[in-house]
Amino acid sequence: QVKGVTQRVHSPDQSRNDPLEDDVQAFLIDEDQLHTFDDLTKVNPVTPATVLKCLQARYSLKVFYTHAGCTLVALNPFQAIPDLYSVDVMKEYHYATQPQEFKPHIFIVAEEAYRNVQGQLEPVNQSLVVSGESGAGKTWTSRCLMKYYATVAASAQAVSSQDAVERIERRVLDSNPLMEAFGNACTLRNNNSSRFGKYIQLQMNRAQLLVGASVQTYLLEKTRVACQPANERNFHIFYQMMKGATDEQRTDWKMPQDQCFVWLPNCENQIEEDGFLETAEAMVHLGIDAERQRQIFRVLAGILQLGNVSFCSSTNESQPCDLDQVSEGTGELLGVPAEELCRCLRVRTLKAGKQNVLKPCSQAECGVRRDCLAKVIYGQLFEWLVTFINSCICADQSKWCNFIGVLDVYGFECFQINNLEQLCINYANEKLQQHFVAHYLRAQQEEYVSEGLEWSFIKYQDNQSCLDLLEGSPISVFSLLNEESRLNRASDSTALRGRLEKELGGNDNICWDKFSKVPHFTVAHYAGKVSYQLEGMVEKNKDPVPPELIGLLEKSDNLLLHEIFSDKETEIPHSKGLSRVTVISKFKNSLENLMKLLLTTAPHYTRCIKPNSDCRPLTFKNREVILQLEACGIVETIHISAAGFPIRCSFPPHTLVVRYFSKDELTPKLLPGVCRCDVSTQSDLSNSSQLDLLEDHRGKILSRCAFTIQCCWLRHQRRRRLARRQSATLIQAAVRSWLVRKQIRRWNGAASVIQNTWKKWRVRTSSLAEAELDEAEDLAADDSPALSAVVRERGSVQLSSFQEPVPVRGWPMGLALASAPSITVSLTATGFQKMISVMTSLNLPSRRGEYKVETNQYKQGLASIRARPRGSVKLHYQRSPLLYADMQPDLKSNVTGFNEILLEKTLRPIQR
């Protein structure tokens, strides 16, 4: 299996020879160990029988994934396995150092692609190609891949966000059920069969976070809207409306509960995909408001009502066909007048020079025009929906730099009656198979030979001859169909069969049943032979749309239909002759663009296998599985992977930079920097175990280097942090010292101002006291002089003679009025409060009738109180101190200071 060892590789034909029978039987004896082969390259010998038995053993133990070299084989269990795809399992594979050491899983392929996006020197876009027959599980696998990336590539901010509508991961995931509702249907082979192909680009930024996505679709099977094969159903969305709509919605859509629709067969069958609420929630999350949803569902209801319209031939050939059954509300739901709709369905407009000629249609032509109207409406509605989804989830080009593509296309199909749809679907699968053959089976072996390695070619099934038959130049099936479609005449299937037999009879991949009366041709595909009927194939390839129907829809009152057919240039083939664009040519061009895109990415292959055609859980049918294994080249893939070099690393052609050894010696020595080399150039590195040892040794050295770098960096950070801390301490000390000095200077200045003010106040009060005090000898008489008229008008207090002194308390001075026959106190007070304060400051004995208080000065300010020691005492109040006066003075309290002097000088004459 390695360089320098004789390779014992056998083709599938050789594996059936007798010399290998003993080895095969010996390998299959130990059945208990067959399930342990998680990689089929470890099987020895590699034959279809040994591979089949290993897969069967693993499937019986509910192990559904197995590695097969560069591909992953996935067996459909046909039942829910919730624990296999939980979020915990996703995180387990995502955070694993070596995910390949875990059990085979689709998440290993997803994680490998995720790490390879920017795991190389130059970022490389990745593609996940999921292939297999219809019902093999491709749609489910693609859904798991998208859920994986939406989980592991979500930013922490998005995960913690409570607004789920704004999260791009939620919108990307919600695009799946919406497109499946409008593009998937229940067929004989699959309950959720994709009737269109899609390539989803998951856009990543430089931090490998999911920032957006875009969807590209390929060839929607529009004919299913108006023509459903036997025992199959229409698109899921119609059944969801019928089973999940409320009574109010049914009334708005004109869909009574008991109404039956011709285009809705097998409505009684209930499947998991009939979830209307999930589709409605996805619309809300993607930003489709309630009014727009109402417009969409009314259009869909109008299509169903259109299917109930039937025609019968008129007795007069010059008159249009009669309406055998009219579905009420069709015109109203589509937003067009009912009369004009009936006229466009039954009468066609022909151009004769510059004039338009109206010609009645036959009954068959009326039915074709009705089906054509339904198909064009549904097809354009689907394209509008895809465009709207892209506008919601696609990120700006400046926000993402790489992408991971997930390809999910319809699987290989072979029904009892096959037409243009199956031909295009199988052609797409042929292209994908050729991409795998060219990228791996052929290119890898050619590379070994070009590098001068010892290699013997392994035979494999190359489907290039089948592709040449379908799309080759100058003559092919597609070219003849397009040529017939561009002729302005009715097609003749018998004549077309004769021309195909004449032009392509020498090709081994096409044949005819000469005893069949039905015009057909049979193609030998890589997955088996399929017979295609020629009846109606040319008309489907033309896909004609009468212009009067388009004009009718452009004038629709339904805003959505008006927007689709007016604001946007609808891709409808109006042209005639050789310039007409056919269905095959459009699909072929879009598929070629897809192949070019895949060639620019690093592919990862997943082969989905259908264990049984009845979709029964955990049922494994050997014959059906082995046909699929041989068709997709699994056995040959295992042969090449087992015989080839397990490790492949590219290196620049102009210089050889050794990854593990220096140029001058062969002892392990890591060179600085990241180097790349081809392991096949080193004879000592020929198997994966040795490479693992070298990688482990290299990892340890890199770990030690990283530890040294971390120590140096931490030392530098600590020293830098210490220097900054010391500098900060010095700055803080200087600032605090300056602030303290500044505060002390302010305090000293304030203290000086207070001291000076206090001293000035004491001097001033002393001088005022000396000037205002009267000596006892200056008083000449005991009788008080008569008061002036002004003082008497302002108010007076007449006091009789008392034996005890009358104290008068006020701030800042207190007096004691001597007992005298008559003391006159003149005062002026403003306001009631001040007046009462002045009156209560005279603490007079309460002897009724012995004194009289008269005042009318409650509105003036306090002017003065005059009195003499034996007749009157004069007091000057420049400011009113009465708000601070002691209203109930204590006669026994100690009086000090200036008041003590006044009291002593006042009471001394009284004591005498």
Side-chain angles (χ1 to χ4, degrees):
Q1 296 181 354
V2 296
K3 181 182 177 183
V5 181
T6 303
Q7 305 198 14
R8 295 182 300 172
V9 180
H10 303 275
S11 64
D13 295 335
Q14 292 174 328
S15 64
R16 300 186 181 94
N17 293 338
D18 293 335
L20 282 180
E21 290 296 330
D22 295 339
D23 295 338
V24 172
Q25 295 299 328
F27 177 81
L28 297 179
I29 287 177
D30 195 0
E31 296 183 357
D32 296 337
Q33 298 297 322
L34 294 179
H35 69 278
T36 61
F37 291 92
D38 55 0
D39 192 340
L40 296 178
T41 57
K42 301 176 182 178
V43 175
N44 188 20
V46 178
T47 65
T50 55
V51 171
L52 180 67
K53 287 298 183 181
C54 289
L55 291 177
Q56 184 178 12
R58 294 174 64 83
Y59 190 76
S60 62
L61 297 177
K62 295 185 179 181
V63 180
F64 309 110
Y65 293 102
T66 307
H67 290 298
C70 66
T71 65
L72 178 70
V73 177
L75 295 171
N76 193 343
F78 292 115
Q79 67 178 13
I81 313 291
D83 296 337
L84 192 60
Y85 306 99
S86 63
V87 177
D88 294 336
V89 176
M90 295 180 188
K91 294 181 179 180
E92 182 180 358
Y93 280 90
H94 177 59
Y95 294 113
T97 305
Q98 295 292 336
Q100 292 78 9
E101 298 178 357
F102 285 54
K103 294 180 179 179
H105 201 289
I106 187 61
F107 294 157
I108 291 183
V109 180
E111 182 62 24
E112 182 181 358
Y114 183 70
R115 298 187 182 187
N116 288 349
V117 171
Q118 291 192 357
Q120 305 181 20
L121 296 181
E122 294 183 1
V124 178
N125 298 323
Q126 308 289 311
S127 288
L128 302 173
V129 182
V130 184
S131 60
E133 291 189 0
S134 179
K138 299 183 301 300
T139 300
W140 172 260
T141 302
S142 301
R143 194 185 305 172
C144 292
L145 291 171
M146 293 183 62
K147 186 177 180 181
Y148 181 84
Y149 291 123
T151 302
V152 303
S155 62
Q157 181 180 3
V159 172
S160 61
S161 175
Q162 299 298 325
D163 191 358
V165 179
E166 296 300 327
R167 287 179 51 186
I168 182 61
E169 297 84 4
R170 178 64 180 273
R171 294 200 298 269
V172 170
L173 292 180
D174 284 332
S175 65
N176 254 344
L178 190 58
M179 286 192 297
E180 289 181 10
F182 281 81
N184 290 21
C186 179
T187 64
L188 292 175
R189 307 188 67 181
N190 186 6
N191 287 344
N192 191 29
S193 176
S194 297
R195 309 319 300 166
F196 73 105
K198 63 177 180 289
Y199 183 73
I200 304 174
Q201 285 186 351
L202 302 175
Q203 300 160 348
M204 307 284 181
N205 61 8
R206 296 189 181 277
Q208 289 186 273
L209 299 179
L210 182 65
V211 296
S214 64
V215 182
Q216 301 176 22
T217 59
Y218 306 94
L219 189 64
L220 174 69
E221 188 186 19
K222 298 183 296 183
T223 56
R224 183 170 291 269
V225 176
C227 181
Q228 303 80 36
N231 299 324
E232 294 191 1
R233 302 204 318 175
N234 209 324
F235 291 103
H236 292 325
I237 185 63
F238 296 110
Y239 298 91
Q240 293 177 1
M241 293 172 58
M242 283 292 297
K243 300 179 181 181
T246 61
D247 294 338
E248 182 181 358
Q249 289 174 329
R250 284 181 173 275
T251 303
D252 185 40
W253 303 341
K254 301 186 182 303
M255 295 173 58
Q257 188 75 31
D258 56 345
Q259 185 177 8
C260 297
F261 296 96
V262 178
W263 288 349
L264 217 59
N266 303 314
C267 190
E268 66 281 357
N269 297 338
Q270 182 72 27
I271 62 176
E272 183 183 355
E273 286 72 22
D274 291 342
F276 179 71
L277 293 180
E278 183 181 4
T279 302
E281 290 178 0
M283 287 184 173
V284 174
H285 294 159
L286 288 170
I288 303 178
D289 55 23
E291 179 60 27
R292 184 63 83 182
Q293 291 185 37
R294 178 176 178 270
Q295 296 170 6
I296 293 174
F297 291 130
R298 283 178 65 88
V299 171
L300 296 175
I303 293 176
L304 290 179
Q305 297 287 358
L306 188 63
N308 287 352
V309 177
S310 60
F311 308 91
C312 62
S313 301
S314 175
T315 55
N316 188 356
E317 295 183 358
S318 62
Q319 296 298 323
C321 292
D322 297 328
L323 292 175
D324 188 16
Q325 184 177 355
V326 180
S327 182
E328 298 180 358
T330 305
E332 182 180 353
L333 291 172
L334 297 179
V336 296
E339 297 80 6
E340 189 173 355
L341 175 61
C342 294
R343 181 181 60 82
C344 291
L345 292 178
R346 297 182 298 167
V347 179
R348 61 176 176 174
T349 304
L350 302 178
K351 284 190 176 183
K354 296 182 179 180
Q355 295 181 352
N356 294 332
V357 179
L358 300 180
K359 181 181 179 181
C361 298
S362 63
Q363 181 181 1
E365 290 175 342
C366 291
V368 171
R369 293 169 73 88
R370 176 202 59 199
D371 297 349
C372 180
L373 179 61
K375 289 189 295 183
V376 71
I377 292 176
Y378 193 84
Q380 293 301 318
L381 177 62
F382 184 80
E383 290 187 7
W384 174 89
L385 186 64
V386 173
T387 303
F388 184 87
I389 291 175
N390 283 331
S391 65
C392 294
I393 65 178
C394 187
D396 188 76
Q397 182 66 35
S398 60
K399 295 183 180 180
W400 62 278
C401 55
N402 299 104
F403 68 84
I404 298 177
V406 179
L407 179 61
D408 177 22
V409 296
Y410 10 59
F412 186 85
E413 293 183 348
C414 180
F415 300 124
Q416 188 174 1
I417 299 177
N418 304 282
N419 210 284
L420 183 66
E421 295 82 11
Q422 283 68 41
L423 179 62
C424 293
I425 289 173
N426 295 338
Y427 164 67
N429 283 271
E430 290 282 356
K431 294 287 286 186
L432 291 178
Q433 176 66 15
Q434 179 60 28
H435 177 268
F436 174 75
V437 169
H439 185 270
Y440 187 77
L441 299 182
R442 180 171 61 242
Q444 185 166 330
Q445 297 191 82
E446 291 177 352
E447 184 180 3
Y448 289 160
V449 175
S450 64
E451 291 182 357
L453 305 178
E454 296 180 5
W455 184 264
S456 59
F457 267 90
I458 298 175
K459 295 181 180 180
Y460 57 87
Q461 182 181 357
D462 193 349
N463 64 334
Q464 185 59 49
S465 59
C466 182
L467 286 175
D468 294 338
L469 170 68
L470 296 177
E471 64 174 2
S473 179
I475 302 297
S476 64
V477 174
F478 287 168
S479 64
L480 294 177
L481 285 175
N482 287 334
E483 182 179 346
E484 186 71 18
S485 301
R486 293 188 177 103
L487 298 177
N488 192 18
R489 67 182 183 186
S491 62
D492 185 355
S493 57
T494 304
L496 179 59
R497 177 189 181 279
R499 189 175 182 191
L500 288 172
E501 189 172 2
K502 177 183 177 181
E503 299 289 347
L504 303 173
N507 195 307
D508 296 335
N509 293 91
I510 189 172
C511 61
W512 296 266
D513 184 2
K514 298 182 179 180
F515 299 99
S516 176
K517 298 180 180 180
V518 179
H520 72 285
F521 65 96
T522 303
V523 177
H525 292 283
Y526 76 96
K529 292 184 178 182
V530 181
S531 179
Y532 301 96
Q533 289 189 2
L534 290 173
E535 186 68 31
M537 184 175 290
V538 175
E539 292 299 325
K540 289 184 177 181
N541 191 33
K542 292 179 180 179
D543 195 20
V545 180
E548 52 266 27
L549 295 180
I550 301 302
L552 178 65
L553 295 175
E554 289 177 351
K555 298 181 293 183
S556 173
D557 294 336
N558 188 299
L559 297 180
L560 179 59
L561 281 180
H562 181 77
E563 176 185 344
I564 291 176
F565 288 93
S566 297
D567 298 341
K568 176 184 175 182
E569 183 181 357
T570 309
E571 297 180 2
I572 298 176
H574 293 292
S575 59
K576 298 181 179 180
L578 297 178
S579 61
R580 174 179 293 171
V581 180
T582 63
V583 172
I584 288 178
S585 59
K586 287 194 300 184
F587 181 66
K588 184 173 178 292
N589 292 334
S590 61
L591 204 58
E592 288 178 353
N593 294 332
L594 173 63
M595 293 297 107
K596 292 179 181 179
L597 181 61
L598 291 179
L599 290 176
T600 62
T601 62
H604 304 264
Y605 301 99
T606 300
R607 298 289 190 177
C608 296
I609 302 298
K610 191 175 183 179
N612 64 87
S613 59
D614 301 327
C615 300
R616 288 184 295 181
L618 301 178
T619 302
F620 194 93
K621 294 186 178 181
N622 295 351
R623 179 60 182 170
E624 297 181 11
V625 174
I626 201 169
L627 288 177
Q628 297 176 61
L629 294 177
E630 292 178 349
C632 60
I634 289 294
V635 177
E636 292 84 353
T637 302
I638 299 172
H639 275 300
I640 296 176
S641 299
F645 294 91
I647 306 300
R648 298 169 52 81
C649 301
S650 61
F651 61 90
H654 58 278
T655 179
L656 178 60
V657 183
V658 184
R659 180 182 179 89
Y660 308 103
F661 301 95
S662 65
K663 296 182 180 180
D664 300 330
E665 55 186 0
L666 292 179
T667 57
K669 179 179 179 181
L670 283 176
L671 299 178
V674 179
C675 307
R676 299 182 298 173
C677 72
D678 194 329
V679 177
S680 61
T681 60
Q682 302 290 334
S683 59
D684 295 332
L685 307 179
S686 55
N687 57 58
S688 59
S689 60
Q690 292 180 353
L691 182 71
D692 291 339
L693 293 176
L694 288 176
E695 284 290 339
D696 292 340
H697 182 67
R698 180 175 182 269
K700 292 178 181 179
I701 296 179
L702 290 178
S703 298
R704 289 198 297 267
C705 295
F707 179 75
T708 303
I709 295 174
Q710 290 176 351
C711 292
C712 296
W713 175 248
L714 291 176
R715 187 187 307 114
H716 169 72
Q717 281 188 323
R718 295 290 177 85
R719 290 177 177 176
R720 189 177 180 182
R721 190 181 300 114
L722 179 61
R724 289 182 176 180
R725 184 178 299 173
Q726 293 175 350
S727 301
T729 302
L730 293 177
I731 294 174
Q732 291 175 356
V735 171
R736 289 172 181 171
S737 176
W738 176 79
L739 290 175
V740 170
R741 290 196 298 270
K742 181 180 179 181
Q743 186 67 23
I744 291 176
R745 285 196 297 269
R746 291 183 61 188
W747 287 349
N748 292 337
S752 301
V753 171
I754 294 173
Q755 291 175 355
N756 294 335
T757 304
W758 172 251
K759 290 178 182 179
K760 291 180 182 179
W761 181 82
R762 290 188 61 184
V763 172
R764 183 181 178 187
T765 54
S766 299
S767 61
L768 290 176
E770 292 177 358
E772 291 180 353
L773 291 177
D774 296 332
E775 297 296 337
E777 57 269 14
D778 295 335
L779 302 177
D782 294 335
D783 299 332
S784 299
L787 297 176
S788 62
V790 177
V791 174
R792 195 173 295 279
E793 290 178 1
R794 292 185 176 181
S796 61
V797 179
Q798 299 294 337
L799 303 176
S800 301
S801 56
F802 298 95
Q803 298 299 325
E804 64 275 4
V806 179
V808 180
R809 287 295 179 92
W811 189 91
M813 61 188 70
L815 303 178
L817 302 184
S819 176
S822 176
I823 295 178
T824 301
V825 180
S826 300
L827 59 92
T828 302
T830 300
F832 179 77
Q833 182 180 3
K834 289 185 178 182
M835 182 189 71
I836 296 301
S837 299
V838 171
M839 298 304 297
T840 56
S841 67
L842 301 176
N843 191 12
L844 304 179
S846 57
R847 297 179 182 179
R848 183 179 301 276
E850 294 188 2
Y851 65 90
K852 179 180 181 182
V853 177
E854 296 179 358
T855 179
N856 57 359
Q857 308 304 323
Y858 58 87
K859 292 184 179 180
Q860 287 84 18
L862 178 61
S864 63
I865 299 178
R866 297 178 181 275
R868 295 180 181 178
R870 294 187 181 180
S872 64
V873 176
K874 180 173 64 176
L875 302 176
H876 293 279
Y877 284 81
Q878 294 182 352
R879 296 184 181 88
S880 174
L882 299 179
L883 293 176
Y884 310 98
D886 187 359
M887 302 303 179
Q888 299 293 334
D890 187 6
L891 297 178
K892 295 181 181 181
S893 61
N894 297 326
V895 181
T896 59
F898 182 63
N899 293 337
E900 183 181 4
I901 299 174
L902 295 178
L903 184 61
E904 183 180 357
K905 289 188 177 183
T906 303
L907 296 179
R908 190 180 298 129
I910 298 176
Q911 294 175 358
R912 292 199 299 265

